[in-house]
Amino acid sequence: MGHTEIHLYAGCWNEEAMLPFFFEHYDRFVTKYFIYDNDSTDRSLEILNAHPRVTVRPLVLEGRSYSEAGLKQLRAMKFEESLLANWVTVCNIDEFFWHPDVLSYLEDMETEGVTLVKAEGYQMVSDHFPSSGEHLPATIKQGARFRKMDKIAFFKPAEVPDLGFSAGRHRSAPVGNVVRPKVEEVKLLHYKHLSLDYVLKRHSELNKRRRVRDVKKNYGYHYSEDVTLDRHALYKQDAINVVDLFTNAYSRPLKGS
């Protein structure tokens, strides 16, 4: 297999707890990171600056809506540094795009002329926050299907220059030479509900960052304690072992992850 250049773009705010797991996962196939930090006050910047593949940039979010400001920044990105990369991905720090053999899969997609791959979303759930060094898809495999987490996973910006994202990247209307696979196999494992204590604390922090228009437009309503408790219970009830189920059903020989 030849060298596959994969670039990742993500925003960051106070992700000290999740960044080690983020890198444990994505270091397996991402070659360059471009992380936009929104004035983190914890150890996030220290962790980011210590990583040899990371370029840190400021993320300035102005106006009456945190969500709309973030969307404006995202839509303005042209991914100039990544036009020659094989693939680009955009995610949040707690969003893990996963496949049993991601590099081989993406190599096959490139051979087939695919320019954009979407992922099937799951809300991963756990009773305990993970220990240092864990690779989360190997240790936290239970997740509930969540269609709002179906998102663009990998794309070629030279072929698809406009992804047409909505707030939170929950919807997209990509424009350009959009060629999707006949069967899309990538999963999005959303690792937010990593113990009830963790998600309640994280959502409380994020809820305090909502601005006037966010509240008016109901952006981030799910950060409330009541909604968080209800969803956590529902995800636990509906969770399946998505990682093993898909790995066992995968038909091609695994060459490595």
Side-chain angles (χ1 to χ4, degrees):
M1 183 186 302
H3 176 74
T4 301
E5 189 79 7
I6 301 176
H7 295 182
L8 182 150
Y9 291 75
C12 178
W13 177 75
N14 283 7
E15 292 282 9
E16 171 185 347
M18 281 301 299
L19 278 169
F21 304 110
F22 170 81
F23 287 125
E24 174 65 29
H25 176 65
Y26 281 111
D27 277 355
R28 296 162 185 256
F29 56 91
V30 168
T31 52
K32 288 185 181 179
Y33 298 89
F34 299 92
I35 308 296
Y36 291 74
D37 184 76
N38 184 221
D39 298 324
S40 289
T41 57
D42 63 358
R43 291 183 56 253
S44 293
L45 280 171
E46 178 185 339
I47 296 170
L48 292 172
N49 286 320
H51 195 293
R53 298 183 224 163
V54 171
T55 298
V56 180
R57 292 178 177 158
L59 177 60
V60 180
L61 302 178
E62 299 176 334
R64 302 172 72 231
S65 168
Y66 177 84
S67 296
E68 291 176 359
L71 178 60
K72 182 178 178 180
Q73 294 281 343
L74 180 59
R75 285 178 170 172
M77 294 175 66
K78 301 301 180 186
F79 307 103
E80 287 93 345
E81 303 98 334
S82 304
L83 293 178
L84 297 180
N86 298 90
W87 298 99
V88 170
T89 185
V90 179
C91 64
N92 294 334
I93 300 298
D94 58 9
E95 294 177 346
F96 290 20
F97 290 116
W98 174 84
H99 185 280
D101 197 354
V102 64
L103 287 173
S104 293
Y105 175 72
L106 291 176
E107 185 179 63
D108 289 345
M109 294 303 96
E110 194 152 22
T111 299
E112 294 173 14
V114 169
T115 62
L116 184 145
V117 177
K118 287 197 72 174
E120 184 179 75
Y122 290 83
Q123 294 282 10
M124 309 306 286
V125 62
S126 171
D127 289 328
H128 305 286
F129 194 81
S131 301
S132 175
E134 288 188 30
H135 180 222
L136 299 193
T139 60
I140 299 176
K141 304 178 181 182
Q142 298 288 324
R145 181 75 173 96
F146 196 71
R147 295 185 184 278
K148 285 188 70 176
M149 293 304 294
D150 291 0
K151 298 183 179 184
I152 293 173
F154 301 98
F155 67 99
K156 293 180 172 294
E159 299 284 349
V160 189
D162 184 358
L163 298 172
F165 282 132
S166 68
R169 306 185 345 274
H170 292 295
R171 294 189 303 276
S172 58
V175 174
N177 178 31
V178 180
V179 181
R180 292 174 60 181
K182 294 178 182 178
V183 179
E184 284 169 316
E185 300 177 354
V186 176
K187 311 300 180 188
L188 194 169
L189 310 181
H190 187 210
Y191 286 105
K192 176 68 71 67
H193 286 257
L194 298 179
S195 82
L196 186 55
D197 287 344
Y198 170 77
V199 70
L200 283 171
K201 178 177 182 293
R202 183 63 177 167
H203 278 185
S204 175
E205 294 168 346
L206 292 170
N207 196 41
K208 293 173 184 175
R209 286 166 62 82
R210 296 170 74 207
R211 300 174 183 173
V212 173
R213 186 166 170 81
D214 294 316
V215 175
K216 181 178 180 180
K217 300 289 287 186
N218 220 24
Y219 299 142
Y221 73 94
H222 57 290
Y223 296 148
S224 72
E225 182 173 322
D226 289 346
V227 175
T228 300
L229 290 170
D230 288 345
R231 288 193 174 185
H232 189 79
L234 182 63
Y235 299 154
K236 286 188 64 176
Q237 173 185 301
D238 293 346
I240 61 172
N241 186 333
V242 57
V243 173
D244 285 351
L245 281 172
F246 183 60
T247 300
N248 293 336
Y250 187 58
S251 59
R252 284 176 281 189
L254 296 178
K255 302 175 187 176
S257 58

